[in-house]
Amino acid sequence: MKIFVTGTRGIPGVMGGVETHCENLYPRLAAMGYDITVVRRDSYVADDKRTEWNGVKLLDVATPRKKAFEAIIHTVRAVIAARRDSADVVHIHAVGPSLAVPLAKILGMRVVMTNHGPDYERAKWGHMARTIIKLGESWGSRFSDDVIVISDTIRGNIGRRYGRTRRVHLIYNGVPAPEVCADDAYFSSLGIEPQRYVLGMSRFVPEKNLHHLIEAFDRAGLAAKGYRLVLAGDADFDDDYSRSLKRMAREHDAVLTGFVRGHKLHALLSQAACFCLPSSHEGLPIALLEAMSYRLPVVVSDIPANAEVGLPAADYFPVGDIDTLSSRLSDKLGSSHTRIDYDLSKYDWDTIARQVAAVYGNS
């Protein structure tokens, strides 16, 4: 079975939740015998000339790097490429790119759409963009042959909004096995010590609320207790918010690592004292699952996507409540830094790959 995948910027090593999802999922499906082609946006992989990675074919399509247009232009071109290559299934990730679902159907292909969450709730979008992205969610929900949702919250949303309950499959995001390690040279270059920092990890966009984390860390007086705040990530498009966040971070002596992957990321996760995700919008946060796989104490906002993970009440704080976030961080760092054994069995990527394969076979 020939599967074309779009809606992602690309794999491997491209920042983003959908990208991490695809990077873990599709090599597993390729190993199961599926003919997988991931269509990438050329502007994100300009230095990567590979046409195959871990059994997955890579097809780069010219795409303008403009946040208002790149996703739909890329997806339309990917759908046309899929039809040209006689794909059996087009798998479209995210609600914005799902504007192209009717085109794929008109061209005679079966469509699977994965809803990673209501992207129109992101603060970066204006009214017109939000309206268009909502239309993508509507078309994807109504016209896709199968819809995959990554949380029960999303499943409930599309049932209420669009009446779609048939062939809707709850398949969670996954998390790979941790690679516990240290990197003394890297830590020295950052000016941090193992077990003496709080880790925030996300793209630098308003809904991640990293500015709240900086404020809460400062309010808790954690620097005076010998802790640093480490923010791992960056912005896809440098804008007023990302620039102000970086300026705020520097003013509060927070550590900015930039976008980091591989051994350095594993080391940061391995040696953190605590992980924090203060966001106001998530689908099902892979960053949180990764932190849990490293057995880190966590503090996260109480939005539905985070609540669905089922952490103890003391791990949550009301979104936007900086005083409570500050108190939660102090509580976590006042403990003995005991590692926590979370039940992550439903986030196993091998199981998830088999579940997606079952959807592909559900003709």
Side-chain angles (χ1 to χ4, degrees), residues 10-70:
I11 62 171
V14 179
M15 180 173 60
V18 174
E19 288 68 35
T20 301
H21 179 100
C22 294
E23 186 171 321
N24 281 280
L25 175 61
Y26 288 107
R28 287 172 167 84
L29 286 165
M32 295 167 65
Y34 288 91
D35 183 345
I36 304 288
T37 298
V38 172
V39 186
R40 310 192 297 179
R41 303 178 197 175
D42 66 345
S43 57
Y44 288 88
V45 293
D47 297 326
D48 183 355
K49 304 305 181 184
R50 288 175 290 187
T51 58
E52 185 172 327
W53 173 77
N54 284 3
V56 177
K57 297 175 183 176
L58 305 173
L59 176 63
D60 298 344
V61 170
T63 311
R65 192 159 182 173
K66 301 287 185 181
K67 71 179 181 180
F69 306 110
E70 69 173 54

Side-chain angles (χ1 to χ4, degrees), residues 32-323:
M32 295 167 65
Y34 288 91
D35 183 345
I36 304 288
T37 298
V38 172
V39 186
R40 310 192 297 179
R41 303 178 197 175
D42 66 345
S43 57
Y44 288 88
V45 293
D47 297 326
D48 183 355
K49 304 305 181 184
R50 288 175 290 187
T51 58
E52 185 172 327
W53 173 77
N54 284 3
V56 177
K57 297 175 183 176
L58 305 173
L59 176 63
D60 298 344
V61 170
T63 311
R65 192 159 182 173
K66 301 287 185 181
K67 71 179 181 180
F69 306 110
E70 69 173 54
I72 186 58
I73 291 173
H74 171 262
T75 306
V76 166
R77 290 175 175 174
V79 167
I80 293 170
R83 180 66 184 88
R84 188 183 302 121
D85 205 28
S86 302
D88 299 297
V89 175
V90 175
H91 191 156
I92 299 178
H93 287 267
V95 295
S98 294
L99 281 166
V101 167
L103 173 63
K105 295 300 297 177
I106 289 170
L107 293 176
M109 291 177 290
R110 185 175 161 216
V111 181
V112 175
M113 173 257 210
T114 293
N115 187 326
H116 290 267
D119 285 346
Y120 42 80
E121 293 180 357
R122 298 186 187 276
K124 67 180 180 180
W125 299 121
H127 175 73
M128 180 61 72
R130 292 181 185 186
T131 300
I132 293 171
I133 296 170
K134 284 182 181 179
L135 184 62
E137 182 183 67
S138 174
W139 287 0
S141 299
R142 296 175 190 277
F143 303 128
S144 296
D145 294 277
D146 290 89
V147 176
I148 295 173
V149 295
I150 62 170
S151 74
D152 199 48
T153 299
I154 298 171
R155 177 166 60 180
N157 285 343
I158 66 171
R160 288 189 298 272
R161 290 172 180 166
Y162 312 113
R164 177 70 186 252
T165 57
R166 181 174 172 270
R167 294 178 73 158
V168 176
H169 314 273
L170 174 59
I171 303 177
Y172 293 107
N173 270 331
V175 61
E179 298 182 30
V180 178
C181 62
D183 192 327
D184 293 342
Y186 180 52
F187 277 33
S188 178
S189 72
L190 295 177
I192 61 175
E193 299 176 8
Q195 304 300 318
R196 305 301 296 178
Y197 62 91
V198 173
L199 178 63
M201 182 171 65
S202 72
R203 285 178 295 124
F204 289 2
V205 290
E207 65 270 13
K208 298 299 183 180
N209 286 338
L210 290 177
H211 56 292
H212 290 172
L213 176 54
I214 295 172
E215 290 183 54
F217 185 92
D218 184 62
R219 197 168 296 181
L222 296 174
K225 299 176 182 178
Y227 290 96
R228 301 289 303 275
L229 175 60
V230 176
L231 302 181
D234 209 332
D236 293 331
F237 301 92
D238 205 22
D239 56 17
D240 289 344
Y241 176 78
S242 65
R243 286 189 289 269
S244 68
L245 178 67
K246 292 174 185 177
R247 183 169 57 252
M248 182 182 183
R250 288 190 292 268
E251 290 171 352
H252 288 80
D253 198 33
V255 177
L256 296 170
T257 70
F259 176 49
V260 59
R261 294 185 66 86
H263 180 80
K264 291 179 179 178
L265 177 59
H266 301 319
L268 287 173
L269 285 163
S270 297
Q271 307 299 328
C274 178
F275 172 82
C276 183
L277 184 69
S279 53
S280 59
H281 169 86
E282 296 287 346
L284 183 65
I286 290 178
L288 172 58
L289 299 181
E290 288 178 330
M292 292 168 65
S293 76
Y294 282 83
R295 305 172 62 220
L296 293 178
V298 300
V299 180
V300 300
S301 56
D302 62 352
I303 59 175
N306 291 340
E308 193 167 326
V309 177
L311 296 165
D315 293 349
Y316 292 103
F317 71 96
V319 62
D321 185 341
I322 295 171
D323 284 334

Side-chain angles (χ1 to χ4, degrees), residues 175 289 292-294 309 342-348:
V175 61
L289 299 181
M292 292 168 65
S293 76
Y294 282 83
V309 177
Y342 301 96
D343 180 7
L344 295 171
S345 55
K346 62 184 178 182
Y347 307 115
D348 175 71

